Amino acid sequence: MQTTRTTTAVVSGVGSCLPPPVVDNEAVIARGALLTDADWIRGRTGIERRRHAPPGTSTGDLAVGAGRAALASAGGARPDLVLLATSTPDHPCPATAPEVAHRLGLATVAAFNVSAVCSGFLYALAVATGLVRGRMCATPLVIAAETYTAIVDPSDRTTAPIFGDGAGAVLLRSGVPDEPGAVVATDLGADGSGRAAITIPGGGARHPRHLPPPAPDAHFFHMEGRAVYAHAVRRMTRSSEAVLRRAGWTADSVRAFIGHQANQRILDSVGDRLGIAPAHRFGNIRELGNTAAASIPLVLADPAVQRAPGERCLLTAFGGGFTWASAALTWPGVSPLAEEPDAATSLGTAPSVPPRPL
């Protein structure tokens, strides 16, 4: 009797793109005339440095670089769908994903944005996995890219030291759950009652730009740190437990725990509650800060974090909305690649030359 093996999405390529300028805590303090010091920032967040996109470099530019790197990592495979997770799109309209697909030379493949703030990459990964399982696509490219320097007030001590810019991407293909890189299980959740804790109050349909803003700083990113901290720890812990149950895994079998790189104390609290040993927790918050939706794929692409193919990996995130998400996957057997933003297209517009073919 022939048995049918379960189909799932498998990571076949991993890429990253970081803007070159490295900005340390002292530079952030000087830029915004912040009433703080480098030790306070380091002690409260775990962050020492981050990357800031220079003028003229957009989220789409970073997304193109990360996407191109992921495709090269996969040996030049051609995607049939592009999902871009971001809360800092190049324009309110249209979505940035179609232009990214165009610049990658993907002609008329379907492309759309996913907006779940810091949970965006895992939301997009879950959507892409569902589409692969439903055979609606075979090789989706999932990109997460952010330029939070475009929306953060440099004089706001609560947010300015935390955020950095960057992009990470994975190419998926159809496969089976027991091979390296397989997405074994996912968990998604949201609670709209927390919408005001992480927000940009102005600029949308609630407070259109042509009307007086509700506050002078309404077009900047705002965050209620204490409320977010408590919700993030609880939601990431519970979502992680749920996805482990769905995967049939125990916490002590996880060999790579990667949480959204929001704050080192949050990551430590979630890891402690789950019972995952510090030796199996990985991140890059010290060097890159909080890159929102891009933080998890940037850790996956970090050469210093690479694990043995097939090892069990737990990913979890919490973001504005509120939203939260987790995924259980086996570590992919691929070599991550990195690219810098394409200088020829750093003005955030369509390229002046044809996009490079795959």
Side-chain angles (χ1 to χ4, degrees):
M1 178 178 177
Q2 187 177 11
T3 59
T4 302
R5 301 188 73 186
T6 302
T7 299
T8 191
V10 174
V11 176
S12 62
V14 180
S16 65
C17 181
L18 293 168
V22 177
V23 181
D24 62 19
N25 288 338
E26 287 80 3
V28 169
I29 293 167
R31 179 188 180 209
L34 301 179
L35 299 177
T36 186
D37 57 55
D39 290 337
W40 184 90
I41 295 173
R42 186 182 305 109
R44 298 282 291 183
T45 68
I47 300 168
E48 295 185 6
R49 288 169 287 276
R50 74 285 291 150
R51 303 293 185 97
H52 283 179
T57 296
S58 75
T59 293
D61 299 326
L62 299 177
V64 169
R68 188 171 287 145
L71 299 185
S73 170
R78 186 178 182 84
D80 56 6
L81 173 68
V82 175
L83 290 79
L84 173 60
T86 185
S87 49
T88 56
D90 286 3
H91 308 281
C93 176
T96 307
E99 183 182 345
V100 169
H102 165 68
R103 289 171 58 181
L104 290 172
L106 300 178
T108 58
V109 302
F112 59 92
N113 285 14
V114 175
S115 180
V117 196
C118 298
S119 304
F121 173 73
L122 293 183
Y123 261 68
L125 182 70
V127 169
T129 299
L131 293 173
V132 169
R133 289 173 176 169
R135 301 191 179 185
M136 293 187 66
C137 66
T139 53
L141 175 63
V142 178
I143 307 172
E146 303 282 15
T147 51
Y148 260 62
T149 49
I151 61 172
V152 166
D153 181 354
S155 66
D156 181 2
R157 191 180 77 159
T158 303
T159 59
I162 296 174
F163 291 95
D165 303 331
V170 297
L171 182 67
L172 304 174
R173 63 168 174 81
S174 178
V176 294
D178 59 354
E179 64 179 303
V183 181
V184 179
T186 59
D187 177 73
L188 304 177
D191 179 2
S193 68
R195 65 192 180 279
I198 301 174
T199 186
I200 300 176
R206 182 69 65 186
H207 297 289
R209 289 184 180 275
H210 66 274
L211 298 179
D217 60 351
H219 296 302
F220 286 121
F221 178 90
H222 292 258
M223 182 171 66
E224 298 176 7
R226 290 184 179 178
V228 170
Y229 184 101
H231 280 278
V233 171
R234 184 170 72 254
R235 297 299 190 181
M236 291 168 71
T237 300
R238 291 180 180 176
S239 180
S240 295
E241 291 169 343
V243 87
L244 288 173
R245 287 194 300 270
R246 292 173 188 173
W249 295 357
T250 59
D252 60 8
S253 72
V254 172
R255 289 297 173 265
F257 169 68
I258 300 172
H260 161 54
Q261 304 293 289
N263 180 298
Q264 189 60 54
R265 294 187 299 158
I266 291 176
L267 295 169
D268 290 341
S269 293
V270 175
D272 289 344
R273 292 187 181 201
L274 292 173
I276 295 177
H280 297 147
R281 306 174 193 174
F282 298 94
N284 54 21
I285 190 169
R286 186 182 71 175
E287 300 297 325
L288 298 183
N290 181 345
T291 51
S295 73
I296 286 178
L298 280 170
V299 178
L300 290 172
D302 190 336
V305 178
Q306 297 313 296
R307 314 300 300 159
E311 284 192 352
R312 291 180 174 181
C313 178
L314 170 63
L315 312 176
T316 189
F318 178 86
F322 291 135
T323 63
W324 55 88
S326 297
L329 73 154
T330 54
W331 196 268
V334 300
S335 297
L337 296 178
E339 282 204 14
E340 291 189 357
D342 191 339
T345 57
S346 62
L347 295 180
T349 58
S352 58
V353 295
R356 301 178 213 170
L358 296 177

